Amino acid sequence: MSAPETLQNWPHLFVSGEDDAPVLLTLHGTGSNEQEISALAPELDPRAGVLAPRGLVREHGMPRWFRRMGEGVFDVDDVVLRAGELAGFVTAAREHYGLGDRPLVAVGFSNGANIALATAMLHPDVVDRVVAFSGMYPFADRDEAADKDLHGVRVTTLNGRADPMAPLDSVTRLVEVLRDRGADVEQHLREGGHGISPQDLAAGREAVSRLA
């Protein structure tokens, strides 16, 4: 499938931003969409371009990025499949929108953070910079990135210590696996649970500036 066909069949939003600014690949959480998550971009870098696709999976009518069997119980085979599809979308968008070598930073919340992390771990040649709000380890008890060299991948994680939807032990495993594979990880933990706090937003803004 050609780049235009790929993009035509995938609902998304694109804003070019300034030529010397990064492009933020904004990835929404369950039940949200590309319009809502793209509103986060100006808070992180008002000069940045925005590439905001919509998750193609449906859960009780709500968009999300991959299937799950229950809260925090992911269909890992589907995670792997959808991460590959997202990598293909990003590659097609780079060509179609003439993004050239502009830095691309994946910024995801919750389910969007998880697909961003999975894509960076499986396709680091396509997505190598991630800011993950309320994300967790995306591969359950499997190590899908075991054979991946993640040197050059840079990730910032932002989590609440008491988040039942992204448990701290899963976040800890995520950071450990990323570092073991060579990724550069900056971890931020705060009190509280699921969401994006003002503290997270400030740290995310600094992370985007650093990663870009």
Side-chain angles (χ1 to χ4, degrees), residues 161-185:
R161 295 179 184 274
D163 185 350
M165 298 176 69
L168 189 54
D169 59 347
S170 181
V171 177
T172 299
R173 184 178 182 200
L174 166 70
V175 171
E176 289 175 349
V177 170
L178 284 167
R179 287 177 174 161
D180 285 348
R181 303 287 180 269
D184 178 2
V185 183

Side-chain angles (χ1 to χ4, degrees), residues 10 55-58 64-67 75-89 115 118-119 122-123:
W10 196 318
L56 300 180
V57 173
R58 292 292 177 272
R64 61 178 278 117
W65 291 97
F66 51 80
R67 292 194 300 267
D75 180 336
V76 178
D77 289 336
D78 201 51
V79 173
V80 173
L81 172 67
R82 304 299 179 173
E85 290 178 348
L86 182 59
F89 170 85
I115 196 64
T119 305
L122 296 174
H123 304 278

Side-chain angles (χ1 to χ4, degrees), residues 1 21 27 32 34 96 106 127 142 163 172:
M1 186 177 293
L27 303 167
S32 186
E34 67 276 17
H96 182 68
V127 173
R142 289 161 51 175
D163 185 350
T172 299

Side-chain angles (χ1 to χ4, degrees), residues 69-142:
M69 280 72 82
E71 189 65 59
V73 184
F74 301 156
D75 180 336
V76 178
D77 289 336
D78 201 51
V79 173
V80 173
L81 172 67
R82 304 299 179 173
E85 290 178 348
L86 182 59
F89 170 85
V90 171
T91 300
R94 272 201 177 276
E95 176 186 343
H96 182 68
Y97 291 117
L99 299 181
D101 295 327
R102 288 177 67 179
L104 183 137
V105 182
V107 177
F109 170 64
S110 189
N111 183 235
N114 296 334
I115 196 64
L117 292 162
T119 305
M121 296 172 78
L122 296 174
H123 304 278
D125 55 324
V126 178
V127 173
D128 63 0
R129 310 171 204 208
V130 177
V131 177
F133 293 99
S134 293
M136 59 189 283
Y137 185 69
F139 302 125
D141 59 351
R142 289 161 51 175

